[in-house]
């Protein structure tokens, strides 16, 4: 088992290892500071796909929690970005009221990043805040969204514009869950792993490329590299929990990625959009002269890494449309938008781009593909 300690306003552990679902009851007891789950309600929140694959009341997770003495209540909602909204949060809080949850009870987010974000936000506002546990079922949520305390939902203007920082009490990742994932879902997580590598640990990138496609079916090494990615995020979040400074580095590729997701009506998944965003910003940074000239060709390096896993290149969206959505992004402030770009392999930097220059910057990242956008 891999144990990564996260030190923020609250301390918690990210546990990674096969068989952890079976022992999740004992882990949750320790995380909540209980000798037994007796007298404590736990609400397992999942989307309908996770419930269908792993079960609801009869899942291994629910069984382990009951064996530890918890009173377990399961809530399932329709999956997808279109349901990551305040209506779903309202349904969850109504469910908690109906089942008489109090401040001494807790939620368990069992699923991907959407489930984790929704559950964490519901936990942050129900009775002004109750504990929650993250049990990620995807590689993407295991390496990124389950760690760091960002929670939230979408609205008609963009992604995650309504939310709160609310740290989990623990993160429990059992890599046996990856066996049910499609290649595309594994690639979503791989994009975030590679992103972490470009930000702070190029050994993630080099090892992933060395393994190539074999890595997607190698649970042991996939988990090991996932832990390295979490360690990169741990170090950054410990320094800047509320994203006032260097935590923004974790947004590499994300400003453009969120625009791509929105413009595609979420038919392009988050991880694939992040890969596209990294391609575009690497080209834009080189075109703007932001990269270290002694560090090599960052667009070429980025492409070679992403091509090793056959990530798609870029969508057919204009710089104008990408900019329009980006100006509603959380990274916009005042008259500028914070852009994270690769300065050299393993080091990224942040630059504030004025709103009236953003379209030209994005266009410079698109035009190098040989298409005038």
């Amino acid at each position: 088992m891999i144990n990564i300690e996260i030190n923020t306003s609250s301390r918690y552990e990210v546990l990674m290892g096969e068989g952890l679902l079976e022992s999740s009851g004992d882990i949750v007891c320790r995380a909540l500071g209980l000798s037994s789950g007796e007298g404590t309600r736990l609400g397992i929140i999942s989307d309908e796909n996770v419930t269908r694959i792993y079960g609801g009341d009869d899942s291994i997770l629910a069984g382990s929690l009951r064996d530890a003495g918890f009173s377990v209540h399961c809530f399932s909602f329709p999956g997808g970005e279109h349901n990551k909204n305040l209506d779903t949060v309202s349904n969850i809080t109504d469910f908690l009221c109906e089942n008489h949850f109090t401040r001494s009870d807790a939620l368990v987010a069992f699923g991907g990043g959407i489930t984790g974000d929704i559950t964490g936000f519901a936990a942050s506002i129900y009775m002004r805040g109750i504990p929650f546990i993250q049990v990620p079922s995807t590689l993407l949520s295991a390496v990124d969204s389950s760690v760091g305390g960002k929670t939230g939902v979408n609205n008609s203007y963009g992604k995650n514009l309504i939310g709160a920082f609310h740290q989990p009490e623990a993160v429990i990742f059992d890599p046996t869950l990856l066996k049910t994932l499609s290649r595309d879902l594994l690639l979503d997580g791989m994009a975030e792993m590679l992103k972490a590598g470009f930000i702070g640990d190029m050994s993630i990138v080099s090892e992933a490329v060395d393994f190539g496609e074999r890595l997607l079916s190698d649970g042991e090494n996939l988990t090991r590299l996932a832990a390295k990615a979490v360690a990169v995020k741990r170090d950054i979040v410990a320094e800047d929990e509320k994203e006032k400074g260097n935590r923004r580095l974790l947004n590499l590729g994300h400003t453009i990625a969120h625009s791509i997701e929105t413009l595609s009506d979420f038919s392009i998944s988050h991880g694939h959009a992040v890969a596209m965003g990294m391609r575009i910003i690497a080209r834009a940074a080189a075109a703007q002269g932001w990269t270290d000239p002694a560090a090599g060709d960052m667009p070429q390096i980025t492409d070679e890494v992403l091509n090793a896993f056959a990530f798609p290149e870029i969508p057919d969206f204009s710089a104008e449309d990408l900019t329009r959505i980006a100006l509603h992004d959380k990274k916009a402030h005042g008259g500028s938008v914070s852009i994270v770009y690769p300065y050299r392999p393993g080091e990224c930097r942040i630059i504030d781009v004025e709103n009236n220059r953003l379209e030209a910057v994005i266009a410079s990242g698109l035009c190098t593909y040989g298409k005038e956008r």
Side-chain angles (χ1 to χ4, degrees):
M1 181 179 71
I2 299 171
N3 185 327
I4 304 169
E5 186 174 304
I6 310 295
N7 287 300
T8 55
S9 54
S10 61
R11 175 193 164 280
Y12 58 96
E13 295 176 335
V14 178
L15 305 177
M16 296 181 163
E18 291 196 2
L20 285 181
L21 280 184
E22 285 87 345
S23 55
S24 55
D26 291 338
I27 295 170
V28 172
C29 279
R30 291 197 302 272
L32 296 178
L34 304 172
S35 58
S36 164
E38 195 70 33
T40 301
R41 296 176 180 84
L42 289 182
I44 300 179
I45 312 298
S46 300
D47 70 26
E48 292 172 353
N49 291 326
V50 168
T51 301
R52 175 178 53 81
I53 295 170
Y54 302 112
D57 286 327
D58 57 347
S59 67
I60 294 173
L61 173 63
S64 180
L65 295 173
R66 286 198 181 92
D67 288 345
F70 291 105
S71 174
V72 176
H73 304 262
C74 296
F75 178 91
S76 183
F77 65 94
E81 286 281 351
H82 293 292
N83 294 298
K84 186 182 175 182
N85 54 39
L86 287 173
D87 288 339
T88 300
V89 172
S90 179
N91 291 337
I92 291 172
T93 55
D94 285 351
F95 164 80
L96 299 179
C97 291
E98 291 162 4
N99 287 281
H100 311 292
F101 273 64
T102 70
R103 285 182 176 174
S104 62
D105 301 319
L107 298 185
V108 178
F110 182 32
I114 292 172
T115 298
D117 283 1
I118 291 175
T119 303
F121 183 55
S124 77
I125 62 173
Y126 183 72
M127 292 192 171
R128 297 190 174 92
I130 63 173
F132 84 111
I133 310 291
Q134 289 271 21
V135 183
S137 66
T138 66
L139 182 61
L140 175 60
S141 56
V143 302
D144 186 53
S145 59
S146 66
V147 179
K150 278 188 177 181
T151 74
V153 296
N154 308 332
N155 67 6
S156 59
Y157 288 95
K159 285 196 57 165
N160 300 322
L161 294 181
I162 302 168
F165 288 95
H166 191 54
Q167 300 290 348
E169 303 300 313
V171 179
I172 305 168
F173 174 56
D174 188 333
T176 58
L177 298 174
L178 299 182
K179 296 175 183 177
T180 66
L181 299 185
S182 67
R183 180 179 181 279
D184 277 344
L185 286 174
L186 289 170
L187 284 180
D188 280 337
M190 183 63 63
E192 289 285 357
M193 285 171 54
L194 296 172
K195 177 206 77 175
F198 277 115
I199 291 169
D201 185 354
M202 282 300 286
S203 73
I204 298 171
V205 175
S206 59
E207 288 190 58
V209 171
D210 286 344
F211 278 105
E213 287 283 331
R214 291 181 294 114
L215 183 59
L216 300 179
S217 57
D218 184 340
E220 181 178 352
N221 282 303
L222 199 56
T223 303
R224 182 176 58 81
L225 292 183
K228 282 190 170 189
V230 170
V232 170
K233 186 167 188 177
R234 171 201 61 198
D235 294 344
I236 292 174
V237 169
E239 175 190 331
D240 177 24
E241 181 177 357
K242 298 294 180 69
E243 202 170 57
K244 301 297 185 182
N246 278 344
R247 183 167 180 168
R248 293 178 295 167
L249 291 170
L250 295 170
N251 294 321
L252 174 64
H254 281 57
T255 300
I256 296 171
H258 288 169
S259 295
I260 290 169
E261 290 177 84
T262 301
L263 291 169
S264 74
D265 200 24
F266 299 105
S267 64
I268 298 175
S269 64
H270 177 70
H272 284 66
V274 167
M276 294 173 182
M278 287 195 291
R279 289 187 193 272
I280 294 169
I281 197 58
R283 280 168 165 70
Q288 299 297 319
W290 298 340
T291 57
D292 180 359
D297 187 331
M298 283 307 301
Q300 181 180 345
I301 293 169
T302 303
D303 276 347
E304 287 176 352
V305 170
L306 295 175
N307 290 345
F309 295 94
F311 277 103
E313 291 198 353
I314 60 170
D316 192 22
F317 299 130
S318 69
E320 179 183 4
D321 286 340
L322 291 167
T323 302
R324 174 172 51 82
I325 304 299
L327 289 176
H328 289 292
D329 193 84
K330 302 182 300 304
K331 292 168 279 298
H333 50 89
S336 64
V337 176
S338 292
I339 297 291
V340 182
Y341 65 92
Y343 178 68
R344 61 164 68 100
E347 180 184 344
C348 291
R349 295 186 177 182
I350 303 166
I351 188 168
D352 288 337
V353 176
E354 294 177 355
N355 290 350
N356 59 9
R357 286 196 59 236
L358 182 60
E359 183 176 338
V361 169
I362 293 176
S364 69
L366 296 174
C367 289
T368 51
Y369 279 91
K371 296 181 180 179
E372 192 66 40
R373 300 298 178 113

